[in-house]
């Protein structure tokens, strides 16, 4: 699955990829160089999260598109356009966005478009209202052009590398391009109802992106808590759960599990599901009494996930053979 | 200030910008490391009283480090400031080459020698994260040597620290442990408990700071800084819980090689119990912790008063 990041110069494209997929700390991104040629970042944490992110230089213009660019863009399932929220006015970058969508849509009609209104952390955006105002402004400015040219409408996300909003936004859009997710979501909804769980995420342990969640809305607080739990589990397991020369990845194994109890009456429960995939549930402590029942249902879920992924892989293989 | 036995005067000194207020805020006021960038200068002396392990009371004097304050400390305030000090903590910024810094340190040592000859001196060589990894130990040794040369042959203990990793917890755990008069009794009881539970190791953390109070290991472990790493991990997680308006109570983490419990223990401590023996039942361990709680309540209290 190929996904391109586009935008004007210095909007934060490379920073996003480095923070989310290469564990760079946000402060360090101040020192990365401007991207001068197309760069690819391959993500392959387990057989089910395989992505290639293509980082375009900010200088790229569709009016000067060459055959190589065209080839890359025609293979993309999704284009993420990054807009620097701190760099007003937005006219120029939005014009660039419309030009890109118009062009790519003409030769790759299935491609989805998403817009990250990025760097939403500065002094200009201290309240939620100001953030939403920025988003409404952008959406308003684009509306006429999109309707007139009959272009697909992009999704909008408010993001920053200084908090988890960028992880949440990426989780949400990657779910859109993952065909298996609908089935998994159904199973998660069932699991939730059977076991009276409040919220459940299926996490990619390495990047802390969730690859699926139940159909109730995601709030940043519960997501953050679960993501922080994964940090704790990995860090503690790296101390006690691996022998001398094992690598970090082996800290998370088939029997990885964790329970964290909070005084608010909430319990966080984590279990390994697949290679580097963890299920994290938020459960009321009273409902966690019947841990056996929860475990039993998670086992069933685990089997289900395995089958879905196997079917998916078979499909991919047969498509490969055809082409 | 009253000077009874459980009241301990701790001086925190060093040039301005060395990181004194940052470390104090992280350890005792639950700041995140990145929040320290917002701290302003400390004006003159900021005295805070910190309750520790329920009964110990630390009077922490954070002494603003600008030159004109420093001058005051050694002249007009010398007698009051350096009197009945239990511990002096002097902080050096490893990146600063200011010659005055060593001079101030020397003056501190002299003042301590004169007014509180029994005080213990800890030197923190701070912001080690700013030194590239391959140069760290060399840079540290050089500074440490310089410190010893200026310590008037007093007994001084040095640590390299950074707010960005567990070294901060290591240094402060050692400092605080020095102030617990009867820690031997605590570690004896912990040993018995560890053996009774058939655990690999047992660690006691102070409740609010998560500094290591005592520990016993039945098995060797390759990582000598592991307890401080745990302090750091849990402290950060506690902060993310507070964002969700909740407080962390207990935790179990396991994989196929180990199982670790971290649980509220006595009214002023958390306990961690690690076991690699999968035949030890988690439920049983939790029960043992429950039973030991009452017993340890008294022991922890007793450990804070000298006999
Ligand atoms: N405040 C803030 N700054 C950010 C954020 N994301 C990135 N930046 C900063 O924006 C600057 C530019 O980031 P880059 O990732 O190099 O931008 P780019 O889009 O790859 O730029 P080109 O390669 O020139 O196209 C860096 O100094 C980052 O530290 C964010 O969420 N908030
Ligand atoms: N890189 C780095 N910076 C630190 C460290 N400790 C503190 N700082 C920074 O140093 C600055 C001064 O710290 P402060 O605590 O106000 O110094 P004080 O004058 O000694 O109290 C702040 O911006 C801190 O964020 C550290 O370990 N590493
Ligand atoms: Mg770039």
């Amino acid at each position: 699955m190929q996904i391109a990041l586009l935008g004007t110069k210095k909007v934060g494209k490379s920073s996003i990829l480095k923070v989310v997929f290469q564990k760079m700390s946000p402060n360090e991104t101040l020192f990365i160089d401007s991207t001068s040629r197309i760069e690819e970042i391959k993500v392959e944490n387990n057989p089910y999260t395989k992505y290639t992110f293509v980082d375009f230089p900010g200088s790229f213009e569709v009016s000067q598109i060459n055959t190589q660019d065209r080839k890359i863009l025609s293979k993309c399932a999704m284009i993420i356009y990054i807009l620097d929220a701190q760099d007003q006015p937005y006219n120029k970058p939005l014009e660039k966005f419309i030009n890109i969508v118009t062009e790519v849509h003409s030769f790759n009609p299935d491609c989805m478009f998403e817009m990250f209104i990025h760097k939403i952390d500065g002094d200009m955006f201290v309240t939620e209202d100001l953030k939403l105002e920025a988003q409404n402004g952008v959406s308003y400015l684009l509306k006429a052009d999109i309707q007139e040219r009959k272009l697909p409408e992009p999704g909008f996300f408010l993001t920053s590398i200084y908090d988890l909003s960028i992880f949440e936004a990426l989780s949400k859009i990657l779910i859109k391009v993952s065909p298996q997710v609908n089935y998994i979501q159904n199973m998660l909804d069932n699991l939730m109802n059977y076991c009276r769980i409040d919220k459940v995420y299926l996490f990619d342990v390495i990047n802390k992106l969730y690859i699926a969640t139940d159909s109730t809305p995601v709030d940043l607080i519960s997501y953050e808590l679960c993501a922080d739990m994964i940090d704790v589990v990995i860090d503690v397991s790296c101390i006690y759960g691996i022998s001398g020369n094992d690598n970090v990845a082996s800290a998370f194994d088939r029997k990885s599990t964790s329970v964290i109890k909070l005084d608010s009456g909430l319990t966080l429960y984590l279990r390994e599901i697949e290679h580097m995939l963890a299920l994290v549930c938020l459960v009321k402590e009273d409902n966690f009494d019947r841990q056996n029942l929860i475990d039993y249902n998670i086992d069933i879920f685990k089997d289900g996930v395995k089958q879905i992924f196997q079917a998916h892989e078979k499909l991919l293989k047969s498509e490969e053979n055809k082409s | 200030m009253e000077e009874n036995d459980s009241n301990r005067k701790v001086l925190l000194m060093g040039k301005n910008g060395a990181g004194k207020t940052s470390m104090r805020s992280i350890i005792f006021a639950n700041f995140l490391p990145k929040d320290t960038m917002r701290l302003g200068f400390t004006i003159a002396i900021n005295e805070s009283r910190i309750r520790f392990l329920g009964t110990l009371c630390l009077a922490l004097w954070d002494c603003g480090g600008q030159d004109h304050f420093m001058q005051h400390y050694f002249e007009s305030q010398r007698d009051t400031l350096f009197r009945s000090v239990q511990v002096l903590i002097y902080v050096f910024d490893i990146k600063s080459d200011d010659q005055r810094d060593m001079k101030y340190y020397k003056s501190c040592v002299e003042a301590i020698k004169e007014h509180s000859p029994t005080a213990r001196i800890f030197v923190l060589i701070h912001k080690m994260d700013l030194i590239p990894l391959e140069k760290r130990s060399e840079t540290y040794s050089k500074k440490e040597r310089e410190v010893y040369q200026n310590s008037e042959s007093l007994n001084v203990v040095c640590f390299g620290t950074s707010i960005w990793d567990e070294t901060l917890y290591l240094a402060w755990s050692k400092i605080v442990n020095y102030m617990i008069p009867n820690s031997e009794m605590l570690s004896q009881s912990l040993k018995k408990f560890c053996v009774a539970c058939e655990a690999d190791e047992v660690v006691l953390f102070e409740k609010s700071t998560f500094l290591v109070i005592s520990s016993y290991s039945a098995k060797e472990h390759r990582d000598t800084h592991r307890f401080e790493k745990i302090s750091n991990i849990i402290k950060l997680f506690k902060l993310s819980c507070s964002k969700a308006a909740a407080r962390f109570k207990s935790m179990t983490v396991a994989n196929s090689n180990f199982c670790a419990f971290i649980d509220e223990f006595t009214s002023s401590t958390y306990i961690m119990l690690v076991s690699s023996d999968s035949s030890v039942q988690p439920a049983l361990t939790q029960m043992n912790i429950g039973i030991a709680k009452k017993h340890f309540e008294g022991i922890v209290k007793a450990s804070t008063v000298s006999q």
Side-chain angles (χ1 to χ4, degrees):
Chain A
M1 182 92 48
Q2 189 156 304
I3 295 166
L5 272 74
L6 288 153
T8 48
K9 281 184 195 164
K10 292 271 138 203
V11 292
K13 302 179 288 295
S14 312
S15 305
I16 292 174
L17 293 176
K18 292 210 154 63
V19 168
V20 176
F21 298 109
Q22 297 175 340
K23 304 241 175 257
M24 185 181 265
S25 86
N27 307 327
E28 287 173 71
T29 62
L30 290 170
F31 310 112
I32 56 183
D33 287 331
S34 199
T35 313
S36 56
R37 4 197 294 299
I38 291 179
E39 281 169 23
E40 284 189 356
I41 293 192
K42 283 202 191 314
V43 178
E44 188 171 348
N45 298 337
N46 51 51
Y48 328 110
T49 34
K50 278 191 194 166
Y51 301 103
T52 305
F53 289 92
V54 190
D55 184 8
F56 273 74
S59 55
F60 168 80
E61 293 291 344
V62 258
S63 52
Q64 289 148 18
I65 192 168
N66 60 29
T67 43
Q68 194 215 351
D69 302 334
R70 185 186 282 268
K71 204 170 148 202
I72 292 173
L73 290 172
S74 63
K75 277 206 294 190
C76 285
M78 179 179 268
I79 285 175
I80 309 174
Y81 190 83
I82 320 289
L83 179 81
D84 182 345
Q86 300 186 10
D87 190 19
Q88 280 167 329
Y90 300 147
N91 307 38
K92 268 240 176 73
L94 290 182
E95 194 185 306
K96 179 168 176 172
F97 173 71
I98 290 290
N99 290 338
I100 289 172
V101 180
T102 312
E103 178 69 20
V104 175
H105 188 61
S106 74
F107 61 76
N108 180 0
D110 293 331
C111 184
M112 288 190 240
F113 298 91
E114 308 292 339
M115 182 176 293
F116 285 3
I117 302 168
H118 189 59
K119 304 195 192 177
I120 201 87
D121 50 57
D123 296 338
M124 297 153 73
F125 305 102
V126 279
T127 66
E128 289 304 306
D129 284 350
L130 289 168
K131 294 181 187 176
L132 284 178
E133 206 171 283
Q135 176 173 338
N136 290 337
V138 170
S139 143
Y140 177 78
L141 285 170
L142 285 174
K143 204 166 188 173
D145 275 329
I146 287 181
Q147 280 176 349
E148 196 179 303
R149 304 191 193 192
K150 299 205 168 53
L151 299 174
E153 183 123 21
F156 295 104
F157 296 88
L158 297 163
T159 59
S160 163
I161 53 170
Y162 285 96
D163 56 38
L164 279 178
S165 58
I166 189 64
F167 289 83
E168 200 207 0
L170 277 169
S171 301
K172 281 191 170 145
I173 61 161
L174 291 180
I175 283 178
K176 287 193 190 174
V177 286
S178 307
Q180 326 90 317
V181 160
N182 278 337
Y183 302 108
I184 300 181
Q185 190 179 64
N186 267 334
M187 293 198 299
L188 287 174
D189 280 339
N190 285 336
L191 180 70
M192 202 165 106
N193 291 333
Y194 289 144
C195 306
R196 305 208 194 140
I197 293 170
D198 289 8
K199 182 81 196 153
V200 51
Y201 297 94
L202 186 57
F203 263 97
D204 178 328
V205 173
I206 294 180
N207 304 127
K208 291 188 288 173
L209 300 174
Y210 58 84
I211 67 165
T213 180
D214 61 83
S215 50
T216 64
V218 171
D219 68 300
L220 208 55
I221 291 178
S222 77
Y223 169 59
E224 214 166 329
L225 208 53
C226 295
D228 290 338
M229 176 185 199
I230 289 182
D231 278 340
V232 170
V233 171
I234 297 299
D235 290 348
V236 173
S237 303
C238 278
I239 297 175
Y240 288 110
I242 55 181
S243 40
N245 33 21
D246 286 356
N247 61 356
V248 176
S250 63
F252 190 80
D253 67 21
R254 269 179 325 102
K255 290 207 169 156
S256 277
T257 169
S258 173
V259 181
I260 296 181
K261 293 196 170 154
L262 305 178
D263 73 341
S264 58
L266 206 62
T267 296
L268 304 173
Y269 184 41
L270 177 146
R271 283 244 340 240
E272 194 257 9
I273 294 296
E274 273 284 334
H275 184 63
M276 291 296 143
L277 283 184
L279 189 77
V280 185
C281 315
L282 292 118
V283 201
K284 293 216 175 58
E285 196 169 348
D286 299 339
N287 295 331
F288 195 67
D289 276 357
R290 297 166 301 169
Q291 194 188 337
N292 289 341
L293 178 75
I294 297 181
D295 278 333
Y296 174 75
N297 280 294
I298 291 178
D299 287 337
I300 294 177
F301 171 77
K302 212 169 152 165
D303 283 342
V305 169
K306 195 167 258 155
Q307 282 172 21
I308 289 174
F309 284 145
Q310 275 167 357
H312 174 66
E313 256 187 307
K314 235 184 238 162
L315 194 76
L316 283 184
K317 278 223 181 78
S318 70
E319 270 172 12
E320 253 167 45
N321 291 342
K322 256 185 256 162
S323 59
Chain B
M1 79 183 240
E2 76 224 80
E3 278 151 24
N4 63 32
D5 177 61
S6 58
N7 227 328
R8 275 131 232 277
K9 179 172 173 184
V10 180
L11 290 187
L12 184 55
M13 302 190 81
K15 266 196 68 59
N16 62 307
K20 302 179 291 298
T21 311
S22 301
M23 40 174 100
R24 166 170 77 86
S25 311
I26 293 169
I27 298 284
F28 298 108
N30 294 329
F31 274 51
L32 275 174
K34 67 175 193 303
D35 294 339
T36 61
M37 310 217 175
R38 291 203 300 264
L39 290 170
F41 287 121
T42 306
I43 306 293
I45 297 177
N46 179 315
E47 192 194 332
S48 47
R49 278 167 187 268
I50 295 152
R51 253 196 191 286
F52 197 80
L53 278 184
T55 45
L56 269 185
C57 184
L58 312 184
L60 186 63
W61 297 40
D62 180 355
C63 308
Q66 289 172 54
D67 289 316
H68 54 280
F69 296 136
M70 283 293 204
Q71 238 103 60
H72 265 296
Y73 303 152
F74 299 125
E75 287 156 19
S76 54
Q77 291 174 301
R78 186 178 170 105
D79 296 353
T80 39
L81 186 61
F82 291 100
R83 204 187 52 201
S84 45
V85 174
Q86 284 254 338
V87 168
L88 164 72
I89 304 169
Y90 197 95
V91 185
F92 284 102
D93 176 349
I94 187 72
K95 271 298 217 191
S96 141
D97 300 321
D98 195 336
Q99 282 309 310
R100 272 172 304 180
D101 211 2
M102 202 42 89
K103 218 183 77 205
Y104 288 143
Y105 173 68
K106 218 172 154 166
S107 307
C108 278
V109 172
E110 281 163 7
I112 285 287
K113 202 171 173 181
E114 181 180 343
H115 292 283
S116 302
T118 56
R120 186 61 167 268
I121 301 176
F122 292 95
V123 170
L124 306 185
I125 299 172
H126 193 53
K127 305 197 188 177
M128 288 304 293
D129 60 287
L130 297 176
I131 308 293
L133 204 57
E134 65 277 9
K135 286 216 187 115
R136 248 175 234 177
S137 76
E138 185 194 334
T139 317
Y140 174 78
S141 309
K142 189 160 160 261
K143 191 80 186 181
E144 189 185 38
R145 229 175 300 131
E146 209 184 327
V147 168
Y148 287 145
Q149 278 160 9
N150 287 286
S151 299
E152 303 254 326
S153 67
L154 287 184
N155 194 355
V156 173
V157 181
C158 282
F159 293 98
T161 53
S162 161
I163 56 170
W164 296 105
D165 59 36
E166 72 281 357
T167 53
L168 187 70
Y169 287 89
L170 180 70
W172 281 87
S173 284
K174 288 275 160 27
I175 293 172
V176 160
N177 268 296
Y178 169 73
M179 284 179 273
I180 303 173
N182 212 348
S183 54
E184 183 53 28
M185 183 169 73
L186 200 54
S187 62
Q188 286 303 326
S189 308
L190 217 53
K191 177 177 175 178
K192 273 190 215 139
F193 182 56
C194 182
V195 173
C197 292
E198 296 177 45
D200 291 3
E201 56 192 13
V202 181
V203 188
L204 213 57
F205 298 95
E206 201 274 335
K207 191 169 194 162
S208 59
T209 56
F210 247 85
L211 293 174
V212 179
I213 299 303
S214 188
S215 67
Y216 177 77
S217 309
K219 260 195 188 167
E220 272 195 47
H221 193 286
R222 71 198 131 81
D223 186 351
T224 49
H225 289 180
R226 61 191 179 283
F227 303 150
E228 289 72 29
K229 286 184 184 160
I230 299 282
S231 295
N232 199 10
I233 294 167
I234 302 294
K235 197 77 183 277
L236 291 176
F237 186 71
K238 274 174 78 178
L239 290 171
S240 46
C241 291
S242 63
K243 267 191 254 165
R247 224 169 40 83
F248 152 78
K249 277 201 323 199
S250 73
M251 169 181 310
T252 317
V253 180
N255 73 10
S256 38
N257 300 316
F258 83 109
C259 182
F261 295 97
I262 299 173
D263 209 340
E264 283 179 308
F265 198 47
T266 70
S267 53
S268 58
T269 59
Y270 272 79
I271 194 165
M272 176 172 80
L273 206 142
V274 182
S275 126
S276 56
D277 179 355
S278 54
S279 69
V280 175
Q281 288 292 317
L284 193 65
T285 306
Q286 263 157 340
M287 209 175 77
N288 281 334
I289 292 178
I291 295 170
K293 261 181 203 181
K294 263 203 211 101
H295 177 59
F296 270 89
E297 193 74 57
I299 297 175
V300 170
K301 222 167 245 152
S303 73
T304 60
V305 284
S306 32
Q307 285 160 325

